[in-house]
Each structure stands twice: as C-alpha cells, then as structure tokens.
C-alpha cells in the first residue's frame, strides 16, 4: 500500500498549505472507512473552521484536481478518507510481496538510501547483571535498529555502557582489600558480592569512601594498576552481557562506554569556558539552562567542586564526538523516563553551544517493570535478572508445550523440543515488552505473556507455523513442487473475490506503512499490534476459505495468500527480534 499512500500524500500536499508527512496519515480501524485517513482536527486552529468543514473542502479540492486519488477521496466527518479500489491494488500488492526468494524484500528500501541514524540503546552499568528492566531499551532499540536498516537508514548502533565513576573506584578498593587476584576467574556474581561487601565495610570505616574517591581520581589520571583492576570489571561484565545479547540476537556497531570519552572531557570543559557558558556555582562549574518557554530549569553540572566530571559531562562529549564522526540526521537515546531532565539538560547545553543539530537529538523514554507474580514482586529492592525471567518463562512454556504435544502430537525431531521452548520463551518475553507502550510501565504477568491464544508472541509464532504447515501439506499433495516455491500469477488474483481474501491482501499491503510509523513514533508496539491484526485477519480467511482441496486454480490463488502472509509475519517478527520455531 505504500505506493498508494505516496499518491495520497502527494495529492493532499498539492492542496494543503503546509505539507504533511506519511506518518500524518492514519489507517482507519474499519476497512469500510477506507485505506487511509487524514484527520483535520489540527488544522481547525489555524483555519478557524470546524474539522468536518475542512475535510469536505480538502476532499473537494482533491477531486477537482482530477488525479488518480480523485477517484478514491471522500470526506467522512472530520476525516478525509481514501479508498483504493481492489482492482487498482491487489495485483500490484501480491506481486510485490511474492517477489524474490524466501522472504523477499517487501517493504524494504535500498540500504543507505536515507540518512544516518545514530541509535543508542541498552546501555547497562558494568558490574551488575542485566536486569529485566534492561529488556526494555534493549528489545526496543534492537527492533528500531533492524527496522531502520530495513527501511534504508544508515543505522549506527551504540551501547553506552556505564563504566566510569566513583563506584568503580570502590570496586578497585574491594579487589585490594579482599585480596582478590584480578587474574583469577572473576564472575559477574563475584563483582556484585564484592560491591555489596565493600559498601557494608564502608559504613563502619569511613576511610574506605575516601580511598574509593582517590582511586577514581587515580583512574581518571590513568594509574596503570587501578586501570587494570577497572578493566577487569569491564571485561567480565561485557562477557556476560554479550551472552545475553547473543541469546536475544542483538549486536552493536560500537560498545563505547562512558570511559570512551574520558580524554575528551578536559578539552570540552576548556571550550565551554572559552565560550563563556560555564558559571561557577558553589565551587562547581555549571551551564545555566532554561526550557523552551524560557523558564529556568536546573543547570547542567559539568565539573564538580572536587574537579571530577560527571555523567552529564560524558554525555555532552559523546554527542559532540558522534556528530563529528557520523554527521547524523537523527540521534535517538532509548533511556528510562527518570532521565528526562538529564536529556533536557544535555540537549540544552548543545543548543547553548550554538549547534544547529541539537534539534536532531531525541530521548525516547521508557517505563518500569512490575510483577504480577507475588514471588517476584516481593523482591523489590533486589534485582530480578533478565535470565531469571527467561528461565521462569521457559519452565512454564515447557509445561504448556508438553501438554499440547500430548493432546496433539507435533512430531518434534530429537532436540527440537528444547530448541523450540527457548524460542517460544524468548518470543513471549520480547513480544510482551514490545507490544506494550514503551512510555508506560509494564506489568509482567506470566500467564498472559505465554498464553497461546492471547495477543502474545507464541500466538504469532504459532500462526506462522500454521502458514508453513499449509504450504508443507500443499507440497505433500503435489500442488506445488516445493513449499518454498509458490509462484505469482496475475490471472489467479482474479479468483480472489471473497471479502476475507480481499481484506487479507489489503492488510498485508499495510506492512510498509506500519514499519514507517514504528520508526516515526519510535514505538515497536505499532508493528506488534499490526502483526496481531494480520494474524486475526488471516484466521478469518482460513476459517472461511478452504485452501487445499478446492479447484486447482483457486488453490493456487489461495496459496499465494498463505505464502504472502507467511512472508509478512516472518519478516515482521524477525524485525522485532522474535525467533521463529519450525513447528509448535
Ligand atoms: N547507564 C545508564 C543507566 O543504566 C544509562 C545510560 C543512558 N545513556 C546515556 N547516553 N546517558 O542508567
């Protein structure tokens, strides 16, 4: 549908005062309302007219132009709706989706045909295991990363590890005090224990705090022994993070922690001073800031009274470095909502430095996790690690799949059951996260997350395996030479006339638009909801239209739909990071 959306966009823009973008078009919830809708509420203010009146005017003007869209347009209340007649769309759509081998490349745009997008996500702190909370920026970031690349952006992904600060001074003190050999096999768990222990000791012995401060000062100066201890903490952590990332299918272009920018901090402070932006405040150096309404907000501290830099200093340096290196069109930080003020301050400093690209930076905030399960929710102060959640989910998935397999044997080959439980558990956890609005808190409810019938990862994975099994049966029946070989023929499209068939093609055709909206709003929930929709519409088609066993030609025509659905589901799920089991 993307090509039709572009026509609609062009025709609207030819009659509108201020041009709109693809993401300003909505997709009506009901097919009767058309394929695209342009809401006129926002224009009401500037035009000082009622939205329905505006919608009617716009529809009339588009009609008067007499272009392709003039046949599609109609105003309905405050909306300008466009309905593309099936004869214009079906053949083009199906042939687009079925082009190419395997999954094809439907909805993709040429690599590097769009701008550079620096995407920062995950960014955990070292010496602490990945917490369930980190699933949010990691899953969302990785999804946007994949979709961005698929849609032609030159994506640069960065993991901005928290690896600098006084707490790492504290850890180096712990190494020494507890006589731990940095050459020994230290695990993440050991680092966590050491940190807890040294902090407990620090409560009794105030000199430890002083030593930690000094250790960090020495670390910033490059003391080789302390640097080696710190490096050990970083290496141990990265190794464990990587195991988690691998399991999730996540890879970064750059793992550049805060420490990466350490040599750029002194020059940055000097420059800010030269520009006259730094003000002394109680011995510290700060940049005073106001918000977009000119109201004062807390200043951004750049250097503390003891001469140390802070988290924010490193963020300003990182932004400058990234722009110098990549000259991005957009830079997105996927970071918890509790850091809203922090990013306001960072972007504020960049603006005060007169950098026009400051406006290209955005913070995508996300909410917290809560647990429905009593056992988990009581462990508030403690960490609930991502691994624990995955294991818990995997146990439940294993039970469910065993029962299902007893009722209706799936026919797993040796080893496949275990592999499938991993994929289903991962899919369930990741989908539940992405399906919810990132900006809000999510509640982790295990029963809901793994429900094969709910709006879940397993539900979508199952729909995908069902498409495959239909294709497999078609192959066994000799209808197609191979299940990977459904061919497109224009004449067969004419046989698709039932409402469920037409609806399915149209929904499949919306795929590229939902990818674009996902990127526009930085919300994977957009794509997640769409894939649920596809599955439901496919379900209706499957109930109403027998695929195998009808006339040979009609069977071929319907197999095209099954294959098109398989491709969109597989591609969509793959972009979200949901693994695809062969059978389940
Ligand atoms: N390490 C930080 C934390 O765990 C998140 C870093 C976010 N990114 C940034 N550029 N500040 O809270």
């Amino acid at each position: 549908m993307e090509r039709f959306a572009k026509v609609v966009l062009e025709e609207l823009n030819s009659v509108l005062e201020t041009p709109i973008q693809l993401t300003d078009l909505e997709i009506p919830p009901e097919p009767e309302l058309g394929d695209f809708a342009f809401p006129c509420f926002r224009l009401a203010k500037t035009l000082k007219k009622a939205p329905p009146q505006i919608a009617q005017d716009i529809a009339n003007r588009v009609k008067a132009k007499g272009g392709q869209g003039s046949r599609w347009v109609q105003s309905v209340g405050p909306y300008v709706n466009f309905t593309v007649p099936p004869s214009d769309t079906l053949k083009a759509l199906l042939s687009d989706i079925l082009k190419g081998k395997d999954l094809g490349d439907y909805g993709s745009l040429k690599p590097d045909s769009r701008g550079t997008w620096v995407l920062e996500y995950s960014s955990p702190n070292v010496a602490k295991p990945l917490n369930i909370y980190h699933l949010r920026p990691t899953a969302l970031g990785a999804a946007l990363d994949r979709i961005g690349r698929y849609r032609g952006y030159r994506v640069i992904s960065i993991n901005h590890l928290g690896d600098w600060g006084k707490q790492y001074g504290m850890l180096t003190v712990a190494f020494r005090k507890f006589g731990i050999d940095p050459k020994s096999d230290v695990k993440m768990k050991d680092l966590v224990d050491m940190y807890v222990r040294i902090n407990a000791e620090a409560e009794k012995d105030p000199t430890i705090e002083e030593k930690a401060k000094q250790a960090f000062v020495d670390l910033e100066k490059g003391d080789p022994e302390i640097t080696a201890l710190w490096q050990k903490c970083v290496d141990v952590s990265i190794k464990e993070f990587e195991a988690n990332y691998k399991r999730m299918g996540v890879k970064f272009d750059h793992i550049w922690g805060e420490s990466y920018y350490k040599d750029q901090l002194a020059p940055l402070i000097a420059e800010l001073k030269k520009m006259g932006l730094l003000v002394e405040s109680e011995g510290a150096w700060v940049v005073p800031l106001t918000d977009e309404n000119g109201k004062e907000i807390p200043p951004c501290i750049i250097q503390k009274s003891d001469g140390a830099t802070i988290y924010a200093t490193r963020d300003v340096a990182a932004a400058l470095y990234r722009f110098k290196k990549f000259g991005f069109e957009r830079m997105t930080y996927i970071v918890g909502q509790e850091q809203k003020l922090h990013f306001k301050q960072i972007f504020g400093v960049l603006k005060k430095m007169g950098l026009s690209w400051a406006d290209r930076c955005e913070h995508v905030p996300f909410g917290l996790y809560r647990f429905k399960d009593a056992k988990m929710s009581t462990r508030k102060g403690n960490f609930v690690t991502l691994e624990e959640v995955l294991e818990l989910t995997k146990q439940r998935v294993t039970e469910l799949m065993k029962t299902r397999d007893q009722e209706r044997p799936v026919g797993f080959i040796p080893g496949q059951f275990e592999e499938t439980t991993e994929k289903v558990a991962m899919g369930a956890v990741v989908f539940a996260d992405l399906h919810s609005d990132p900006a809000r808190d999510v509640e982790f409810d295990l029963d809901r997350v793994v429900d094969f019938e709910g709006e879940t990862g397993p539900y979508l994975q199952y729909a995908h395996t069902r498409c495959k099994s239909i294709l497999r049966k078609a192959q066994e029946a000799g209808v197609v030479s191979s299940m990977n070989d459904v061919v497109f023929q224009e004449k067969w499209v004419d046989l698709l006339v039932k409402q469920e068939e037409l609806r399915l093609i149209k929904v499949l055709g919306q795929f590229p638009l939902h990818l674009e909206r996902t990127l526009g709003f930085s919300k994977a929930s957009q794509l997640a909801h769409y894939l649920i929709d596809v599955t439901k519409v496919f379900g209706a088609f499957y109930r109403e239209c027998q695929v195998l066993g009808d006339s040979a030609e009609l069977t071929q025509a319907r197999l095209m739909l099954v294959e098109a659905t398989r491709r969109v589901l597989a591609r969509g799920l793959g972009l979200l990071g949901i693994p695809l089991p062969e059978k389940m």
Side-chain angles (χ1 to χ4, degrees), residues 120 122-125 133-134 160-162 258 311 315 322 333-335 338-339 342-343:
E120 190 213 283
S122 199
S123 310
N125 294 332
Y133 168 80
H134 293 111
H160 186 81
L161 293 184
E258 289 180 42
Y311 179 56
D315 256 324
R322 293 171 188 174
Y333 297 83
I334 305 180
V335 182
E338 69 287 351
Q339 297 195 27
H342 168 75
F343 283 103

Side-chain angles (χ1 to χ4, degrees), residues 223-452:
D223 176 289
E225 211 178 307
I226 297 207
T227 302
L229 292 175
W230 165 83
Q231 189 66 51
K232 179 75 182 177
C233 297
V234 174
D235 292 346
V236 167
S237 307
I238 291 187
K239 197 165 156 221
E240 296 216 7
F241 293 156
E242 291 282 13
N244 281 282
Y245 292 143
K246 191 163 173 230
R247 196 170 169 191
M248 294 176 72
V250 174
K251 249 188 19 223
F252 298 92
D253 292 321
H254 305 288
I255 299 190
W256 287 340
E258 289 180 42
S259 64
Y260 189 80
Y261 308 96
K262 61 177 188 287
D263 298 333
Q264 300 165 30
L265 304 177
L268 167 67
I269 294 170
E271 194 186 339
L272 288 171
K273 276 195 182 145
K274 209 171 90 196
M275 294 174 100
L277 295 180
L278 282 185
V279 172
E280 204 174 349
S281 163
E282 295 165 32
W285 289 96
V286 307
V287 177
L289 296 167
T290 49
D291 67 8
E292 55 284 0
N293 305 320
K295 229 183 84 201
E296 210 174 297
I297 63 168
C300 184
I301 301 173
I302 296 292
Q303 192 173 32
K304 289 197 297 185
S305 54
D306 64 1
T309 60
I310 68 161
Y311 179 56
T313 325
R314 270 130 20 216
D315 256 324
V316 175
L320 294 172
Y321 176 79
R322 293 171 188 174
F323 189 76
K324 205 164 96 199
K325 194 159 173 73
F326 304 116
F328 50 76
E329 263 77 45
R330 178 180 180 187
M331 173 152 71
T332 302
Y333 297 83
I334 305 180
V335 182
Q337 61 189 9
E338 69 287 351
Q339 297 195 27
K340 269 189 183 158
L341 175 62
H342 168 75
F343 283 103
K344 244 194 197 161
Q345 292 172 320
I346 300 302
F347 303 159
V349 172
L350 297 175
K351 255 185 224 154
K352 273 198 122 173
M353 291 177 82
L355 302 165
S356 58
W357 51 266
D359 290 334
R360 303 183 201 168
C361 301
E362 61 173 353
H363 169 213
V364 172
F366 60 84
L368 294 172
Y369 257 95
R370 280 178 283 117
F371 286 90
K372 177 100 188 282
D373 182 86
K375 198 173 93 207
M376 291 290 215
S377 58
T378 51
R379 297 179 39 197
K380 251 191 243 127
N382 293 334
F383 268 143
V384 179
T385 68
L386 177 57
E387 239 160 88
E388 282 175 286
V389 174
L390 283 173
E391 282 325 305
L392 186 80
T393 310
K394 206 162 158 178
Q395 275 171 24
R396 179 66 64 83
V397 165
T398 305
E399 289 159 21
L400 281 172
M401 277 180 36
K402 273 198 181 133
T403 317
R404 284 168 68 93
D405 193 40
Q406 271 158 13
E407 284 164 7
R408 252 197 328 159
V410 177
F412 288 114
I413 54 172
Q416 203 177 26
F417 183 81
E418 160 66 16
E419 188 193 313
T420 307
T421 54
E422 166 74 15
K423 286 184 174 175
V424 173
M426 183 60 81
V429 171
V430 171
F431 187 84
D433 188 298
L434 294 180
H435 185 248
S436 59
D437 184 341
R440 297 186 185 198
D441 290 355
V442 272
E443 184 187 61
F444 189 89
D445 174 354
L446 186 57
D447 291 325
R448 262 212 341 247
V449 168
V450 299
D451 184 357
F452 279 59

Side-chain angles (χ1 to χ4, degrees), residues 1 41 261 463 478 486 494 528:
M1 291 306 272
F41 306 104
Y261 308 96
V486 173
D494 295 325

